[in-house]
Amino acid sequence: MAVRIGELLVEKRLITEEQLAQAVQEHQKSKEFLGQTLIRLRMISEEKLLKVLAEQQGVAFLNLKDVKFDDEMIKKIPAKFAWHYKIMPISLKGNVLTVATSNPFDMWSIDDLETNLGYRVETVLAIASDIAEAIRKYYGVGADTIERILAETPQEEKIAEATAKEKVEDLEKSSDAASVVKLVNQILQQAIHDRATDIHFEHFHNDLLLRYRIDGILYDAQVSENMRYLYSAIISRIKVMANLDIVERRIPQDGRAKVKIGEKEYELRVSVIPTLYGENVVIRILPTLMLFSMADLGMQEQELQVLQRALDKPHGIIFVTGPTGSGKTTTLYTCLSKLNTRERKIITIEDPVEYELRGVSQIQVNPKINLTFAAALRSILRHDPDVIMVGEVRDSETASVTIQTSLTGHLVFSTIHTNDAASGATRLIDMGIDPFLITSSVELFIAQRLVRKICPECKEEIKLPPASLPKGMEARKPAFRGKGCGACNNTGYKGRTGIYELLVMNDKIRDMILRKESSDRIQAKAIELGMRPMVQDGWEKVFAGMTTPEEVRRVTQAAE
């Protein structure tokens, strides 16, 4: 059989005779199916091999990404069978069940399915990864584990297993046995696989929502409706991982945990709050090792040069402005990484510490013991730092101490919540800071937003109607969009980049701040002096084929 398949592949010129001889020799050692050997040796793709096998076996080959599945039919095939046999039900006509499989020679599984389900089973071929993705999408993450727990395990054991203490979880080495531990690991693995930054567990009346935040947007994760029966045990398991009190359910709790997938470690920030129908949990997923690069910020060359000149100064303040989730922390950490040399002492005060930076002393704010931004700032000056980062200027006391720190010869980084760069100065004045202190200390205001990047796999050119362009702008180049594909979960977007505006404090801008002029007038003068507004930077990235007009409008509406 193996030789006949090999000869057929040679006959169709999909592999050479030399490749077949090499694969047969390897196949005899490994005892695996010859096709698997050919795929492992990268002599042929799985899709091409399965198409030939389908022709040889007289069955169809399906691209599951093009198939629309019937929810009612899927409910008739238990998740545990789909996961165990790695099959996806395609159709059920009368007593004939058609399933997709990637192994046409596994007749034992087909016989077992017929015995257990009572249907006559026919097969079509599909790519193994497409089958796994379809099972996850339509049955929901951890569906097989949920079925087994509910069928086999007494409730007392579920909770006992959920509260087993472990320090660093290796998600790939979890027990094969159905348990809440395994279920939570599956949810985390799927989130990391999907590039999620946050996982949201939300409990409502007779309903449970599991959502992943991917590229800044929340998406519902498909889960079994039976997961709600295990919700308490899931929350208990998450609390144990984060060293939280599993008995306390009346007050908010915050904790952290570490997990491992393969060689990569991730830090989890866990926040639990009590709600009307039970506790809600949000898990922030952070890589323990991050490489921060100026090139990855997405700034254009002109802005990078402006930022570099500010970084070269020995003292002064660089403020990064924008709403929560606009990438301010990443910009700050990138600047610190650039300055992080053996000749400099860098200290940060953060709430919370997002990433660990080697060679940087990082302080976590703790209001319970009066370790605030302002209190920590006064103490760290005795440690002779060259560069200081204050996570956020929230009040007049922190703002005042931050400015005084820069005036004593330190380079200081911080963030402030404003919609644009020009509003940074007026916000500080509103906090009670004297304008002359602002003009004496601040060197640069950076406003930013994050826009989703177009998926490169399904990128297509589009025509923009002139009415959709901002006033005074012409479409110099074609625009693009992502039409949606398997690589981007049919969103059309994959990854994010920043759009920026950088307000440099020169003499004319300082004079306007001293006169307490409005942010609109400061903004207009800065543009006149050469500042590229954030909206313009966004549209230039549209015409560069990086993002879409809808994304730019979505994140800049408040800044326009």
Side-chain angles (χ1 to χ4, degrees):
M1 176 69 76
V3 176
R4 286 205 299 274
I5 293 165
E7 289 172 352
L8 192 57
L9 293 173
V10 172
E11 185 183 316
K12 290 181 175 291
R13 297 184 179 179
L14 295 172
I15 61 171
T16 64
E17 290 188 359
E18 291 77 13
Q19 287 177 318
L20 175 60
Q22 182 187 344
V24 168
Q25 189 176 4
E26 180 68 23
H27 152 75
Q28 289 169 346
K29 291 179 188 174
S30 65
K31 304 299 181 185
E32 65 189 350
F33 170 52
L34 178 63
Q36 292 173 319
T37 305
L38 288 165
I39 293 169
R40 179 165 57 81
L41 297 176
R42 297 185 179 178
M43 294 178 178
I44 192 171
S45 70
E46 184 183 3
E47 182 176 351
K48 287 179 180 177
L49 175 67
L50 288 175
K51 284 180 177 177
V52 172
L53 286 172
E55 182 184 327
Q56 184 199 42
Q57 299 292 316
V59 298
F61 172 83
L62 285 185
N63 183 346
L64 294 191
K65 291 173 182 173
D66 300 330
V67 175
K68 290 186 178 179
F69 296 90
D70 179 16
D71 289 339
E72 290 303 315
M73 182 268 299
I74 287 174
K75 286 178 182 177
K76 294 181 180 179
I77 314 300
K80 61 184 178 184
F81 287 112
W83 279 107
H84 181 72
Y85 296 115
K86 295 179 174 59
I87 56 107
M88 185 67 193
I90 302 297
S91 65
L92 180 60
K93 295 179 181 177
N95 197 45
V96 178
L97 172 67
T98 302
V99 301
T101 177
S102 61
N103 184 357
F105 305 113
D106 188 6
M107 301 310 298
W108 178 84
S109 294
I110 303 304
D111 292 342
D112 206 20
L113 278 170
E114 289 182 336
T115 302
N116 282 285
L117 299 176
Y119 300 118
R120 186 164 66 83
V121 177
E122 293 183 353
T123 60
V124 295
L125 298 188
I127 296 171
S129 59
D130 288 352
I131 293 173
E133 187 62 36
I135 294 172
R136 276 194 296 268
K137 182 177 179 181
Y138 290 96
Y139 282 99
V141 58
D144 60 323
T145 306
I146 293 168
E147 281 187 4
R148 290 179 182 178
I149 292 173
L150 294 175
E152 301 169 8
T153 316
Q155 185 67 23
E156 298 78 20
E157 282 185 41
K158 294 174 207 165
I159 295 175
E161 284 184 351
T163 56
K165 289 200 173 185
E166 293 171 67
K167 203 166 186 181
V168 178
E169 297 291 329
D170 191 335
L171 300 186
E172 292 184 326
K173 292 184 180 177
S174 61
S175 168
D176 288 336
S179 66
V180 175
V181 173
K182 182 179 179 182
L183 175 58
V184 171
N185 287 357
Q186 287 174 324
I187 293 169
L188 291 170
Q189 276 184 288
Q190 187 61 40
I192 292 168
H193 174 267
D194 290 345
R195 302 179 299 108
T197 54
D198 302 85
I199 308 172
H200 292 245
F201 294 85
E202 298 163 299
H203 201 268
F204 302 100
H205 181 60
N206 291 330
D207 193 19
L208 165 66
L209 279 184
L210 175 64
R211 297 195 283 177
Y212 294 153
R213 188 178 293 279
I214 303 169
D215 294 332
I217 305 295
L218 275 174
Y219 297 96
D220 285 343
Q222 181 72 26
V223 294
S224 166
E225 60 183 20
N226 291 328
M227 186 181 280
R228 69 178 187 268
Y229 299 121
L230 302 174
Y231 190 71
S232 296
I234 291 169
I235 300 306
S236 294
R237 171 61 187 155
I238 293 169
K239 283 183 174 181
V240 167
M241 290 176 69
N243 291 316
L244 301 178
D245 186 347
I246 64 170
V247 178
E248 181 57 74
R249 296 174 183 170
R250 301 163 300 167
I251 60 174
Q253 296 188 72
D254 295 299
R256 59 193 345 179
K258 279 191 177 180
V259 297
K260 183 180 179 185
I261 293 185
E263 297 302 312
K264 288 188 177 180
E265 277 195 4
Y266 297 86
E267 181 139 341
L268 307 181
R269 303 288 166 76
V270 179
S271 179
V272 184
I273 58 171
T275 64
L276 191 60
Y277 293 105
E279 292 174 296
N280 283 6
V281 177
V282 174
I283 302 175
R284 167 68 58 89
I285 303 170
L286 298 168
T288 54
L289 179 64
M290 279 284 285
L291 300 175
F292 296 97
S293 163
M294 300 292 277
D296 292 339
L297 289 176
M299 284 189 187
Q300 301 193 44
E301 188 60 34
Q302 176 184 329
E303 278 77 19
L304 279 174
Q305 290 175 5
V306 170
L307 178 57
Q308 187 59 58
R309 285 195 292 271
L311 294 179
D312 290 339
K313 295 186 177 182
H315 53 77
I317 305 178
I318 296 173
F319 274 112
V320 184
T321 80
T324 301
S326 59
K328 300 188 298 295
T329 302
T330 300
T331 300
L332 289 174
Y333 274 75
T334 302
C335 292
L336 292 180
S337 296
K338 178 81 173 175
L339 296 170
N340 189 12
T341 62
R342 302 297 290 176
E343 296 80 33
R344 289 190 182 95
K345 168 89 169 188
I346 302 176
I347 302 180
T348 72
I349 312 161
E350 305 172 63
D351 184 22
V353 175
E354 292 281 353
Y355 302 101
E356 293 180 20
L357 287 176
R358 182 178 172 82
V360 175
S361 302
Q362 296 171 273
I363 300 170
Q364 169 81 47
V365 166
N366 188 349
K368 291 179 182 177
I369 56 172
N370 203 31
L371 181 58
T372 61
F373 284 114
L377 254 177
R378 292 189 181 93
S379 297
I380 66 174
L381 290 177
R382 303 188 190 100
H383 284 251
D384 189 28
D386 299 294
V387 180
I388 298 169
M389 184 184 95
V390 181
E392 185 182 343
V393 168
R394 298 174 179 170
D395 51 54
S396 58
E397 184 186 13
T398 306
S400 179
V401 178
T402 299
I403 286 173
Q404 294 295 336
T405 300
S406 74
L407 292 173
T408 56
H410 300 88
L411 184 59
V412 181
F413 296 88
S414 191
T415 69
I416 193 168
H417 285 287
T418 62
N419 285 329
D420 53 42
S423 299
T426 55
R427 177 62 57 83
L428 290 171
I429 292 172
D430 291 342
M431 286 182 180
I433 305 300
D434 287 329
F436 79 89
L437 289 175
I438 299 170
T439 57
S440 303
S441 59
V442 179
E443 296 293 337
L444 181 65
F445 285 103
I446 304 171
Q448 69 177 79
R449 300 288 189 279
L450 290 176
V451 292
R452 291 182 290 173
K453 294 195 290 186
I454 298 169
C455 172
E457 302 293 328
C458 58
K459 189 175 182 178
E460 63 178 9
E461 190 175 317
I462 57 171
K463 271 195 172 184
L464 288 178
S468 69
L469 297 169
K471 191 177 179 181
M473 183 175 286
E474 295 180 4
R476 302 182 303 277
K477 294 179 182 177
F480 296 86
R481 70 169 183 182
K483 61 183 178 182
C485 65
C488 60
N489 288 329
N490 294 309
T491 63
Y493 299 99
K494 193 170 185 181
R496 289 191 289 178
T497 190
I499 59 173
Y500 302 88
E501 63 183 28
L502 276 66
L503 175 61
V504 180
M505 298 289 283
N506 54 36
D507 290 341
K508 291 183 179 179
I509 298 296
R510 287 189 174 99
D511 286 342
M512 296 181 77
I513 293 171
L514 287 171
R515 294 195 300 269
K516 295 186 179 182
E517 296 202 26
S518 69
S519 60
D520 290 343
R521 290 174 66 87
I522 295 173
Q523 175 95 345
K525 176 57 74 172
I527 293 171
E528 183 187 317
L529 295 172
M531 182 184 83
R532 194 200 324 257
M534 191 160 39
V535 174
Q536 183 183 336
D537 187 35
W539 277 92
E540 288 185 7
K541 286 183 168 70
V542 168
F543 294 127
M546 296 172 67
T547 189
T548 63
E550 293 80 12
E551 272 298 285
V552 174
R553 282 192 285 265
R554 178 178 69 86
V555 302
T556 60
Q557 280 177 347
E560 289 178 354

